[in-house]
Amino acid sequence: GRVLVKAINKKRTFSSRPSPSPSPSPSHTLLMDQSKERYCYNPSLHWNPQVEEYFSKAYGAEAFSRISKALTRPSCYSCIRVNTLKVTTESVIEKILEIQHEKKLQDALKNLHTDADKSVKVSERVIGSTAETSPVFKCQIPGLDYVVFVKGSGPHDIQYDYQQDRPPKEVIVSRKCAEAVLRGAQVYVPGILACSAHVEKGDKVAVSVGVEQPGRNGDWATGITHPQYIERDGLYIGQGITTLSRAGIFRDLSGLGVDMTDRVFRLASFNDVLKGDIFLQNLPSIITAHVLDPQQGERILDMCAAPGGKTTAIASLMKDKGEVIAVDRSHNKVLEIHNLAAELGLNSITAYKLDALKAVHKDKLNGTVTQCSSEDKVSQTSQQAESASDEETKKGPYTSKAELRKQIRRMKNGPGKNQSTGGRVNKCEGFSPNSFDRVLLDAPCSALGLRPRLFAAEETTESLRRHGKYQQRMFDQAVQLVRPGGVIVYSTCTINPGENEALVRYALDTYKFLSLAPQHPKVGGPGLLGRYESSDGYFEEWLKPGEEDLVQRFDPSGPHDTIGFFIAKFNVGPKEA
């Protein structure tokens, strides 16, 4: 049951139709060709023209084209960080193999028509030759033996039962939903935008994506009506079985809508699997925590910590011995960090609600923190509201259509920034300068390295420049908070040099006591050299010769099949008065 490579090298045809006749008519052949062009996954990532020109100059047109194509596809493996404070890597591998066997995933992967054998070869430098004998294997990078890879496959060719004058029944999902499905998720009701007529529970449906298209007013909108029908060509992500009728899909606010059976990319889902024992995390994020090199007994700050993946990785590397301070400005995200630390059994983490731009205490006190009772959103108020709602329900209250629309939006989009999901958090007033041994700034960014990505045109050159300025302000806070002799690690999940190499240039030119430090492990490629100047007079300075190999840039089209990511590590020398 472990010979995945042999299985994926075989070809598979997803078809529930009779084989075509030996001599198909010209009209039938034309119909099949049109069907293949439409019912496939071949997306083209649209960029703002000025942004595309900027990236083409930074990387070269051919390299940027490869990056743009890679961003539309997920990595063909899942990366898992094992909580070695609770379990061993070997026991996790054994459990995952048992789970896969029980779900008969190995049987479903037989006779696949895919080029996944390519992903095995190109990733071998990271995952090792054991990938040839098992679909679940330990990372071979020195020091990362607690990282496990679970191999996926794709893209697959899927036939959608297209017949002349009778296209397949179809469900159109939002872009965010589709990106999750490409990573292995199911289709849930809030993610469904539209559905063919006469769809009943148990019907087989093609699942397509409603990607934003240019609107009349220069904005972007999702085209799901008939005039935009052609816009879904090449944006079909698989087939599934509906769990509700069309009426049920648009009546219910939550729950499973389509159970995906045939997928363009097949990646195992780890939702609620081995909770507390494993954490699904991108490889560059795991490497970032290693590059920080936290030591037992140290005081570490994670400045923009949500959802807590790197925070918990740092605490695990310290064997849960030391002090890890995690901050985020969102109440709900701080709760996520609390919950993840509790799930993984980590006691060295303390999370606070704090805007990273205000991380340095104004009065330079002793870094004291205070609990804020106003943040206790588990309050009796919501409980009273619930009981009041129950009483009203018994009386049969009238609910306006506007209120129903609000409830639907909340179900689809989650609570707003001013709406807490409940739970107590500590509010922090900031910390004293020089009060941390190491600081991680995984900065909020344009996120243009995340994959799969089906839309990128919302970013403009102006918005990218604003991201860079915002990150400089955060970095200024980090420099004040770390002690002389300490370490700062800066990371982003974007391919934008203005948020990566330009930040490094700003840091080294502004703070002469900072120097780039070698990174271990070193997996990513070199940074970008030189500078960029636009026609409007804006310019960016990037790295100087000799600095490029001291940073790590992860190319999504590169040999390791990761997200786009950037890591820089700074040693902090004696600070000037």
Side-chain angles (χ1 to χ4, degrees), residues 70 85 108 137 200 253 280 293 322 340 364 390 402 410 431-432 443 456-457 532 542 557:
L85 299 180
F137 37 85
E200 300 295 336
L253 299 179
L280 196 65
D293 193 25
L340 180 59
K364 299 183 179 180
D390 291 341
R410 289 191 192 112
F431 306 97
S432 293
Y532 167 81
W542 297 338
S557 65

Side-chain angles (χ1 to χ4, degrees), residues 293-306:
D293 193 25
Q295 302 298 309
Q296 294 183 28
E298 288 185 330
R299 190 171 192 239
I300 312 291
L301 174 64
D302 188 352
M303 285 184 66
C304 304

Side-chain angles (χ1 to χ4, degrees), residues 334-396:
V334 172
L335 285 176
E336 289 182 21
I337 300 169
H338 274 301
N339 294 337
L340 180 59
E343 180 183 303
L344 297 175
L346 297 168
N347 302 310
S348 60
I349 296 171
T350 309
Y352 297 106
K353 180 181 178 181
L354 174 67
D355 187 341
L357 290 176
K358 302 174 183 177
V360 180
H361 197 286
K362 290 182 180 179
D363 299 324
K364 299 183 179 180
L365 297 176
N366 295 321
T368 54
V369 293
T370 57
Q371 291 187 355
C372 180
S373 59
S374 65
E375 300 297 324
D376 298 347
K377 298 287 187 178
V378 240
S379 58
Q380 301 170 355
T381 330
S382 49
Q383 295 173 5
Q384 289 167 356
E386 286 176 13
S387 51
S389 174
D390 291 341
E391 291 298 321
E392 290 179 359
T393 304
K394 293 175 184 176
K395 298 176 184 178

Side-chain angles (χ1 to χ4, degrees), residues 31-289:
L31 179 68
M32 292 300 295
D33 290 342
Q34 292 174 342
S35 171
K36 288 180 180 179
E37 289 180 9
R38 174 170 178 77
Y39 296 99
C40 65
Y41 185 73
N42 187 29
S44 178
L45 195 57
H46 297 291
W47 300 85
N48 174 283
Q50 289 78 30
V51 171
E52 185 168 6
E53 179 185 2
Y54 166 66
F55 284 148
S56 294
K57 286 183 178 179
Y59 292 102
E62 186 177 340
F64 178 61
S65 177
R66 290 196 302 269
I67 291 171
S68 188
K69 185 67 177 178
L71 287 174
T72 64
R73 301 183 175 193
S75 301
C76 273
Y77 61 90
S78 299
C79 184
I80 293 171
R81 174 165 58 84
V82 177
N83 184 7
T84 53
L85 299 180
K86 282 188 174 182
V87 293
T88 65
T89 304
E90 289 73 20
S91 66
V92 164
I93 292 175
E94 186 176 343
K95 288 177 183 177
I96 292 175
L97 286 170
E98 289 175 359
I99 292 170
Q100 287 192 332
H101 179 72
E102 290 171 3
K103 293 182 177 181
K104 300 182 179 180
L105 292 183
Q106 296 307 304
D107 292 338
L109 287 173
K110 289 179 181 178
N111 302 319
L112 297 179
H113 173 60
T114 177
D115 58 2
D117 55 321
K118 177 180 177 182
S119 68
V120 174
K121 294 175 183 176
V122 298
S123 300
E124 189 171 330
R125 290 169 55 190
V126 174
I127 60 182
S129 58
T130 53
E132 297 181 2
T133 58
S134 174
V136 184
F137 37 85
K138 189 187 299 185
C139 179
Q140 300 301 303
I141 299 172
L144 297 185
D145 55 352
Y146 61 92
V147 176
V148 171
F149 296 103
V150 181
K151 194 175 183 309
S153 61
H156 302 297
D157 286 338
I158 300 176
Q159 293 185 4
Y160 291 95
D161 294 333
Y162 183 89
Q163 296 179 16
Q164 191 169 10
D165 300 325
R166 192 170 70 87
K169 293 181 178 180
E170 184 173 340
V171 164
I172 307 174
V173 300
S174 69
R175 171 175 56 87
K176 290 291 186 182
C177 175
E179 289 168 353
V181 170
L182 289 168
R183 294 192 298 268
Q186 295 283 12
V187 175
Y188 291 90
V189 168
I192 297 177
L193 299 177
C195 180
S196 299
H198 310 300
V199 167
E200 300 295 336
K201 179 179 178 180
D203 282 355
K204 180 186 287 188
V205 292
V207 179
S208 65
V209 191
V211 175
E212 293 88 335
Q213 304 295 333
R216 295 179 179 177
N217 301 323
D219 55 355
W220 294 87
T222 303
I224 59 174
T225 56
H226 183 70
Q228 283 80 29
Y229 186 72
I230 193 172
E231 299 295 351
R232 296 196 300 282
D233 284 7
L235 286 172
Y236 285 76
I237 59 175
Q239 288 186 128
I241 304 298
T242 55
T243 61
L244 298 164
S245 66
R246 186 179 190 276
I249 287 173
F250 295 113
R251 181 181 63 245
D252 292 2
L253 299 179
S254 61
L256 184 66
V258 179
D259 181 13
M260 296 297 294
T261 53
D262 294 339
R263 298 171 180 266
V264 173
F265 290 92
R266 296 183 179 275
L267 295 168
S269 173
F270 290 93
N271 186 35
D272 292 329
V273 173
L274 302 178
K275 292 187 71 170
D277 292 346
I278 64 172
F279 182 75
L280 196 65
Q281 191 170 22
N282 288 304
L283 179 63
S285 297
I286 297 173
I287 291 174
T288 300

Side-chain angles (χ1 to χ4, degrees), residues 514-526:
L514 294 181
S515 59
L516 284 174
Q519 300 184 31
H520 303 286
K522 185 73 161 60
V523 179

